[in-house]
Amino acid sequence: MGAQIDTLHLLLGLAEGEQDAVLQHCLTSAEALALSYCHLDALPEALSPVVLDMAVDLYRMGGYGQAEAPRGAVSAVTEGEQSISFAGAAASADASGLLKNYAARLNAYRKLRWPKRV
């Protein structure tokens, strides 16, 4: 695959070729988040390390590569539509939480958008 996938293998301690599809998904998602946040059409080369770090966090927060169910204390239980949350689980794995961690690094490349008049 690509050099970025190879770098993700190294950063996550995975064997070469292990979970390539999952890593590609995390990389694609991280790049889409960065492009959307910065209002860009193409990713500047200088943002590649930031996107790699975001992909690592997405992999870890998503619980990919873990065969076991989440462990830890139950932090919330909802009976309607049955929902159980575990403390320390991937509850903070949403895009806004991830972007808050990287906003300072992404802001230098962010373009302003003016609201459209209706």
Side-chain angles (χ1 to χ4, degrees), residues 4-89:
Q4 289 182 315
I5 297 295
D6 293 339
T7 304
L8 283 176
H9 282 113
L10 291 172
L11 291 172
L12 292 166
L14 299 173
E16 186 176 331
E18 187 178 358
Q19 297 197 8
D20 282 348
V22 173
L23 294 177
Q24 185 61 53
H25 167 72
C26 292
L27 192 57
T28 303
S29 296
E31 185 173 333
L33 281 170
L35 290 173
S36 176
Y37 179 80
C38 293
H39 309 292
L40 299 173
D41 295 324
L43 191 71
E45 185 63 34
L47 278 180
S48 290
V50 179
V51 170
L52 280 171
D53 290 344
M54 290 172 67
V56 168
D57 283 348
L58 283 171
Y59 180 89
R60 290 181 177 150
M61 288 191 302
Y64 300 116
Q66 297 177 3
E68 300 178 0
R71 291 187 185 178
V74 174
S75 63
V77 176
T78 307
E79 289 186 33
E81 296 296 321
Q82 296 182 341
S83 173
I84 299 175
S85 298
F86 295 90

